[in-house]
Short mmCIF file of all heavy atoms in Angstrom, two decimals:
data_model
loop_
_atom_site.label_atom_id
_atom_site.label_comp_id
_atom_site.label_asym_id
_atom_site.label_seq_id
_atom_site.Cartn_x
_atom_site.Cartn_y
_atom_site.Cartn_z
N LEU A 428 111.23 90.04 106.73
CA LEU A 428 111.70 89.35 105.52
C LEU A 428 110.54 89.06 104.56
O LEU A 428 110.68 89.31 103.35
CB LEU A 428 112.33 87.98 105.86
CG LEU A 428 113.53 88.04 106.89
CD1 LEU A 428 114.17 86.68 106.99
CD2 LEU A 428 114.58 89.02 106.40
N GLY A 429 109.37 88.68 105.06
CA GLY A 429 108.24 88.44 104.20
C GLY A 429 107.82 89.72 103.54
O GLY A 429 107.44 89.71 102.35
N THR A 430 107.78 90.87 104.27
CA THR A 430 107.43 92.15 103.68
C THR A 430 108.41 92.55 102.62
O THR A 430 108.00 93.00 101.53
CB THR A 430 107.40 93.19 104.83
OG1 THR A 430 106.36 92.83 105.79
CG2 THR A 430 107.10 94.58 104.23
N LEU A 431 109.68 92.38 102.89
CA LEU A 431 110.72 92.70 101.83
C LEU A 431 110.50 91.86 100.62
O LEU A 431 110.64 92.42 99.48
CB LEU A 431 112.09 92.48 102.41
CG LEU A 431 112.74 93.67 103.05
CD1 LEU A 431 114.11 93.28 103.60
CD2 LEU A 431 112.90 94.81 102.04
N CYS A 432 110.26 90.58 100.79
CA CYS A 432 110.04 89.76 99.57
C CYS A 432 108.84 90.20 98.73
O CYS A 432 108.88 90.27 97.52
CB CYS A 432 109.89 88.29 100.01
SG CYS A 432 111.34 87.51 100.54
N MET A 433 107.79 90.58 99.42
CA MET A 433 106.61 91.07 98.71
C MET A 433 106.90 92.28 97.89
O MET A 433 106.59 92.39 96.70
CB MET A 433 105.48 91.40 99.68
CG MET A 433 104.13 91.57 99.03
SD MET A 433 102.80 92.24 100.10
CE MET A 433 102.91 91.23 101.52
N VAL A 434 107.66 93.23 98.51
CA VAL A 434 107.99 94.42 97.81
C VAL A 434 109.04 94.19 96.72
O VAL A 434 108.93 94.75 95.61
CB VAL A 434 108.44 95.55 98.77
CG1 VAL A 434 109.06 96.74 98.07
CG2 VAL A 434 107.28 95.93 99.72
N LEU A 435 110.06 93.40 96.98
CA LEU A 435 111.08 93.12 95.99
C LEU A 435 110.47 92.49 94.76
O LEU A 435 110.82 92.82 93.58
CB LEU A 435 112.14 92.17 96.55
CG LEU A 435 113.08 92.83 97.56
CD1 LEU A 435 113.86 91.79 98.33
CD2 LEU A 435 114.04 93.80 96.90
N ASN A 436 109.48 91.55 94.94
CA ASN A 436 108.79 90.98 93.77
C ASN A 436 107.91 91.95 93.12
O ASN A 436 107.74 91.98 91.87
CB ASN A 436 108.09 89.71 94.21
CG ASN A 436 109.02 88.53 94.52
OD1 ASN A 436 109.99 88.38 93.79
ND2 ASN A 436 108.76 87.78 95.53
N ALA A 437 107.23 92.84 93.87
CA ALA A 437 106.32 93.84 93.32
C ALA A 437 106.99 94.83 92.44
O ALA A 437 106.46 95.27 91.38
CB ALA A 437 105.58 94.54 94.48
N VAL A 438 108.24 95.23 92.82
CA VAL A 438 108.95 96.23 91.97
C VAL A 438 109.87 95.54 90.98
O VAL A 438 110.65 96.20 90.27
CB VAL A 438 109.79 97.21 92.87
CG1 VAL A 438 108.87 98.02 93.79
CG2 VAL A 438 110.86 96.58 93.64
N VAL A 439 109.80 94.22 90.86
CA VAL A 439 110.49 93.43 89.86
C VAL A 439 112.02 93.61 89.92
O VAL A 439 112.61 94.02 88.93
CB VAL A 439 109.94 93.70 88.47
CG1 VAL A 439 110.38 92.63 87.50
CG2 VAL A 439 108.42 93.84 88.47
N ILE A 440 112.56 93.37 91.09
CA ILE A 440 113.99 93.29 91.20
C ILE A 440 114.45 91.84 91.03
O ILE A 440 113.91 90.94 91.70
CB ILE A 440 114.50 93.81 92.58
CG1 ILE A 440 114.19 95.32 92.62
CG2 ILE A 440 115.95 93.55 92.81
CD1 ILE A 440 114.57 96.00 94.00
N ASP A 441 115.38 91.60 90.17
CA ASP A 441 115.89 90.29 89.86
C ASP A 441 116.75 89.85 91.03
O ASP A 441 117.72 90.54 91.36
CB ASP A 441 116.65 90.30 88.53
CG ASP A 441 117.12 88.94 88.15
OD1 ASP A 441 117.04 87.92 88.92
OD2 ASP A 441 117.59 88.79 87.00
N PRO A 442 116.46 88.73 91.67
CA PRO A 442 117.33 88.24 92.76
C PRO A 442 118.67 87.74 92.29
O PRO A 442 119.53 87.45 93.12
CB PRO A 442 116.52 87.13 93.40
CG PRO A 442 115.57 86.64 92.36
CD PRO A 442 115.29 87.83 91.50
N CYS A 443 118.83 87.59 91.01
CA CYS A 443 120.13 87.10 90.43
C CYS A 443 120.48 85.75 90.78
O CYS A 443 121.66 85.36 90.79
CB CYS A 443 121.21 88.16 90.68
SG CYS A 443 120.95 89.76 90.03
N LYS A 444 119.51 84.97 91.27
CA LYS A 444 119.71 83.54 91.53
C LYS A 444 118.37 82.89 91.43
O LYS A 444 117.26 83.53 91.45
CB LYS A 444 120.37 83.32 92.84
CG LYS A 444 119.63 83.91 94.08
CD LYS A 444 120.50 83.70 95.32
CE LYS A 444 120.04 84.55 96.49
NZ LYS A 444 120.84 84.38 97.66
N ARG A 445 118.36 81.63 91.20
CA ARG A 445 117.14 80.86 91.08
C ARG A 445 116.50 80.51 92.45
O ARG A 445 117.17 80.26 93.40
CB ARG A 445 117.45 79.55 90.38
CG ARG A 445 117.79 79.77 88.93
CD ARG A 445 118.12 78.46 88.24
NE ARG A 445 118.51 78.72 86.83
CZ ARG A 445 119.00 77.77 86.05
NH1 ARG A 445 119.15 76.56 86.53
NH2 ARG A 445 119.31 78.07 84.83
N TRP A 446 115.19 80.61 92.39
CA TRP A 446 114.39 80.28 93.59
C TRP A 446 114.22 78.77 93.59
O TRP A 446 114.69 78.01 94.40
CB TRP A 446 113.10 81.01 93.56
CG TRP A 446 112.05 80.53 94.53
CD1 TRP A 446 112.17 80.55 95.87
CD2 TRP A 446 110.77 80.08 94.19
NE1 TRP A 446 111.03 80.03 96.43
CE2 TRP A 446 110.09 79.74 95.44
CE3 TRP A 446 110.07 79.89 93.00
CZ2 TRP A 446 108.81 79.25 95.46
CZ3 TRP A 446 108.81 79.42 93.04
CH2 TRP A 446 108.16 79.12 94.27
N LYS A 447 113.50 78.25 92.53
CA LYS A 447 113.30 76.80 92.39
C LYS A 447 113.21 76.56 90.87
O LYS A 447 112.62 77.40 90.14
CB LYS A 447 112.01 76.36 93.06
CG LYS A 447 112.11 76.43 94.59
CD LYS A 447 110.84 75.92 95.25
CE LYS A 447 111.03 76.03 96.78
NZ LYS A 447 109.83 75.67 97.49
N GLY A 448 113.74 75.46 90.46
CA GLY A 448 113.69 75.17 89.04
C GLY A 448 114.40 76.27 88.26
O GLY A 448 115.54 76.65 88.61
N ILE A 449 113.80 76.80 87.26
CA ILE A 449 114.38 77.88 86.49
C ILE A 449 113.95 79.28 86.91
O ILE A 449 114.34 80.26 86.31
CB ILE A 449 114.02 77.72 84.95
CG1 ILE A 449 112.50 77.72 84.71
CG2 ILE A 449 114.64 76.36 84.41
CD1 ILE A 449 112.08 77.79 83.26
N TRP A 450 113.03 79.30 87.92
CA TRP A 450 112.43 80.59 88.29
C TRP A 450 113.23 81.42 89.25
O TRP A 450 113.69 80.86 90.28
CB TRP A 450 111.00 80.39 88.86
CG TRP A 450 110.12 79.73 87.83
CD1 TRP A 450 109.55 80.39 86.77
CD2 TRP A 450 109.82 78.36 87.70
NE1 TRP A 450 108.83 79.46 86.02
CE2 TRP A 450 108.98 78.22 86.53
CE3 TRP A 450 110.09 77.22 88.44
CZ2 TRP A 450 108.47 77.04 86.16
CZ3 TRP A 450 109.59 76.03 88.01
CH2 TRP A 450 108.79 75.93 86.90
N ARG A 451 113.40 82.70 88.94
CA ARG A 451 114.10 83.58 89.77
C ARG A 451 113.01 84.43 90.51
O ARG A 451 112.30 85.24 89.92
CB ARG A 451 114.95 84.49 88.94
CG ARG A 451 116.19 83.77 88.42
CD ARG A 451 116.62 84.23 87.07
NE ARG A 451 117.34 85.46 87.08
CZ ARG A 451 118.63 85.64 86.80
NH1 ARG A 451 119.32 84.58 86.46
NH2 ARG A 451 119.16 86.83 86.79
N TRP A 452 112.88 84.19 91.78
CA TRP A 452 111.79 84.81 92.59
C TRP A 452 112.30 84.98 94.01
O TRP A 452 112.99 84.11 94.56
CB TRP A 452 110.62 83.80 92.55
CG TRP A 452 109.32 84.32 93.19
CD1 TRP A 452 108.82 84.01 94.32
CD2 TRP A 452 108.45 85.22 92.52
NE1 TRP A 452 107.64 84.68 94.52
CE2 TRP A 452 107.41 85.44 93.42
CE3 TRP A 452 108.46 85.91 91.32
CZ2 TRP A 452 106.32 86.26 93.14
CZ3 TRP A 452 107.42 86.76 91.03
CH2 TRP A 452 106.35 86.88 91.96
N TRP A 453 111.97 86.06 94.66
CA TRP A 453 112.37 86.37 96.02
C TRP A 453 111.58 85.44 97.02
O TRP A 453 110.39 85.40 96.97
CB TRP A 453 112.20 87.78 96.36
CG TRP A 453 113.16 88.66 95.67
CD1 TRP A 453 112.98 89.41 94.53
CD2 TRP A 453 114.51 88.96 96.08
NE1 TRP A 453 114.10 90.10 94.24
CE2 TRP A 453 115.06 89.84 95.15
CE3 TRP A 453 115.30 88.51 97.16
CZ2 TRP A 453 116.37 90.31 95.24
CZ3 TRP A 453 116.61 88.96 97.22
CH2 TRP A 453 117.16 89.87 96.30
N SER A 454 112.31 84.83 97.90
CA SER A 454 111.74 84.15 99.06
C SER A 454 112.57 84.60 100.26
O SER A 454 113.79 84.97 100.12
CB SER A 454 111.68 82.68 98.87
OG SER A 454 112.92 82.11 98.82
N ASP A 455 112.01 84.46 101.45
CA ASP A 455 112.70 85.00 102.63
C ASP A 455 114.02 84.22 102.96
O ASP A 455 114.91 84.79 103.56
CB ASP A 455 111.82 85.05 103.86
CG ASP A 455 111.05 83.76 104.11
OD1 ASP A 455 111.48 82.67 103.68
OD2 ASP A 455 109.97 83.86 104.78
N ASP A 456 114.18 83.00 102.43
CA ASP A 456 115.44 82.30 102.68
C ASP A 456 116.62 82.86 101.88
O ASP A 456 117.76 82.49 102.03
CB ASP A 456 115.28 80.80 102.46
CG ASP A 456 114.87 80.45 101.09
OD1 ASP A 456 114.48 81.32 100.30
OD2 ASP A 456 114.96 79.26 100.77
N MET A 457 116.34 83.84 100.97
CA MET A 457 117.40 84.49 100.19
C MET A 457 117.97 85.71 100.85
O MET A 457 118.97 86.29 100.40
CB MET A 457 116.83 84.85 98.80
CG MET A 457 116.44 83.76 97.93
SD MET A 457 115.77 84.45 96.41
CE MET A 457 115.60 83.01 95.43
N LEU A 458 117.33 86.23 101.93
CA LEU A 458 117.68 87.52 102.50
C LEU A 458 118.67 87.36 103.63
O LEU A 458 118.35 87.58 104.84
CB LEU A 458 116.42 88.19 102.96
CG LEU A 458 115.39 88.45 101.89
CD1 LEU A 458 114.10 89.07 102.45
CD2 LEU A 458 115.93 89.37 100.82
N GLU A 459 119.88 86.96 103.33
CA GLU A 459 120.89 86.77 104.33
C GLU A 459 122.10 87.73 104.26
O GLU A 459 123.16 87.38 104.75
CB GLU A 459 121.41 85.33 104.30
CG GLU A 459 120.51 84.34 105.03
CD GLU A 459 121.19 83.05 105.31
OE1 GLU A 459 121.35 82.21 104.41
OE2 GLU A 459 121.54 82.88 106.46
N CYS A 460 121.96 88.82 103.54
CA CYS A 460 123.14 89.69 103.27
C CYS A 460 123.62 90.46 104.47
O CYS A 460 124.78 90.77 104.61
CB CYS A 460 122.89 90.64 102.12
SG CYS A 460 121.50 91.75 102.42
N CYS A 461 122.74 90.73 105.47
CA CYS A 461 123.15 91.52 106.64
C CYS A 461 123.21 90.60 107.92
O CYS A 461 124.04 90.81 108.76
CB CYS A 461 122.27 92.62 106.91
SG CYS A 461 122.14 93.86 105.62
N TYR A 462 122.30 89.66 107.95
CA TYR A 462 122.16 88.81 109.17
C TYR A 462 121.81 87.40 108.70
O TYR A 462 121.18 87.18 107.64
CB TYR A 462 121.03 89.32 110.07
CG TYR A 462 121.30 90.78 110.43
CD1 TYR A 462 120.66 91.77 109.69
CD2 TYR A 462 122.11 91.13 111.49
CE1 TYR A 462 120.91 93.08 110.00
CE2 TYR A 462 122.34 92.48 111.80
CZ TYR A 462 121.70 93.43 111.01
OH TYR A 462 121.99 94.73 111.36
N SER A 463 122.19 86.46 109.47
CA SER A 463 121.90 85.02 109.14
C SER A 463 120.39 84.82 109.44
O SER A 463 119.80 85.50 110.28
CB SER A 463 122.71 84.07 110.01
OG SER A 463 122.31 84.10 111.33
N LEU A 464 119.84 83.88 108.73
CA LEU A 464 118.43 83.56 109.01
C LEU A 464 118.21 83.04 110.41
O LEU A 464 117.18 83.31 111.04
CB LEU A 464 117.94 82.50 107.95
CG LEU A 464 117.84 82.96 106.52
CD1 LEU A 464 117.46 81.80 105.59
CD2 LEU A 464 116.85 84.12 106.39
N GLU A 465 119.22 82.36 110.96
CA GLU A 465 119.11 81.88 112.37
C GLU A 465 119.05 83.04 113.29
O GLU A 465 118.31 83.04 114.28
CB GLU A 465 120.31 80.93 112.65
CG GLU A 465 120.11 80.18 113.95
CD GLU A 465 118.88 79.42 114.05
OE1 GLU A 465 118.39 78.83 113.04
OE2 GLU A 465 118.30 79.36 115.09
N TYR A 466 119.86 84.04 113.03
CA TYR A 466 119.83 85.26 113.83
C TYR A 466 118.44 85.93 113.80
O TYR A 466 117.85 86.28 114.83
CB TYR A 466 120.86 86.29 113.40
CG TYR A 466 120.78 87.64 114.09
CD1 TYR A 466 121.42 87.82 115.33
CD2 TYR A 466 119.99 88.68 113.54
CE1 TYR A 466 121.28 89.06 115.99
CE2 TYR A 466 119.88 89.91 114.21
CZ TYR A 466 120.52 90.06 115.40
OH TYR A 466 120.39 91.24 116.04
N VAL A 467 117.88 86.05 112.62
CA VAL A 467 116.58 86.68 112.43
C VAL A 467 115.47 85.79 113.12
O VAL A 467 114.61 86.32 113.76
CB VAL A 467 116.25 86.94 110.96
CG1 VAL A 467 114.80 87.48 110.76
CG2 VAL A 467 117.26 87.84 110.34
N ARG A 468 115.60 84.53 113.01
CA ARG A 468 114.63 83.57 113.63
C ARG A 468 114.63 83.80 115.14
O ARG A 468 113.55 83.76 115.75
CB ARG A 468 114.93 82.17 113.24
CG ARG A 468 113.86 81.19 113.80
CD ARG A 468 114.14 79.77 113.30
NE ARG A 468 113.70 79.62 111.93
CZ ARG A 468 114.42 79.40 110.84
NH1 ARG A 468 115.74 79.24 111.00
NH2 ARG A 468 113.96 79.29 109.65
N LYS A 469 115.79 84.04 115.71
CA LYS A 469 115.86 84.16 117.16
C LYS A 469 115.56 85.55 117.65
O LYS A 469 114.95 85.75 118.70
CB LYS A 469 117.35 83.87 117.67
CG LYS A 469 117.63 82.40 117.62
CD LYS A 469 119.05 82.18 118.15
CE LYS A 469 119.40 80.69 118.04
NZ LYS A 469 120.81 80.44 118.35
N HIS A 470 115.95 86.62 116.87
CA HIS A 470 115.82 87.97 117.37
C HIS A 470 114.91 88.86 116.57
O HIS A 470 114.59 90.01 116.95
CB HIS A 470 117.23 88.62 117.35
CG HIS A 470 118.29 87.87 118.09
ND1 HIS A 470 118.32 87.78 119.44
CD2 HIS A 470 119.30 87.08 117.67
CE1 HIS A 470 119.31 87.06 119.85
NE2 HIS A 470 119.92 86.58 118.77
N GLY A 471 114.47 88.42 115.31
CA GLY A 471 113.74 89.32 114.48
C GLY A 471 114.72 90.34 113.94
O GLY A 471 115.91 90.24 114.02
N ILE A 472 114.14 91.45 113.31
CA ILE A 472 114.98 92.56 112.84
C ILE A 472 114.43 93.83 113.41
O ILE A 472 113.18 94.03 113.47
CB ILE A 472 115.13 92.59 111.33
CG1 ILE A 472 113.80 92.64 110.60
CG2 ILE A 472 115.96 91.41 110.84
CD1 ILE A 472 113.93 92.81 109.12
N ASP A 473 115.35 94.78 113.70
CA ASP A 473 114.83 96.10 114.15
C ASP A 473 114.93 97.09 113.01
O ASP A 473 115.20 96.74 111.88
CB ASP A 473 115.64 96.56 115.34
CG ASP A 473 117.16 96.87 115.10
OD1 ASP A 473 117.49 97.18 113.93
OD2 ASP A 473 117.90 96.75 116.06
#
């Protein structure tokens, strides 16, 4: 998730939602489209 956030921000993909305040910025807590964060916390991702 951390690696994906770094790359998503580097290639300037808009997350289409706010991170904090008015800023739209990728953070790992936004990456829940395939798996829940709880699942990733327990199992990681393959």
Side-chain angles (χ1 to χ4, degrees):
L428 303 185
T430 298
L431 267 177
C432 286
M433 191 188 315
V434 171
L435 288 165
N436 287 321
V438 298
V439 195
I440 292 178
D441 185 346
C443 298
K444 56 184 166 183
R445 291 178 181 172
W446 167 61
K447 293 182 182 176
I449 60 169
W450 297 283
R451 288 150 73 115
W452 189 257
W453 288 98
S454 65
D455 50 23
D456 60 347
M457 294 178 172
L458 301 174
E459 281 198 281
C460 60
C461 299
Y462 306 93
S463 71
L464 293 175
E465 192 53 39
Y466 172 87
V467 177
R468 186 172 281 115
K469 287 180 183 174
H470 306 286
I472 57 174
D473 67 27

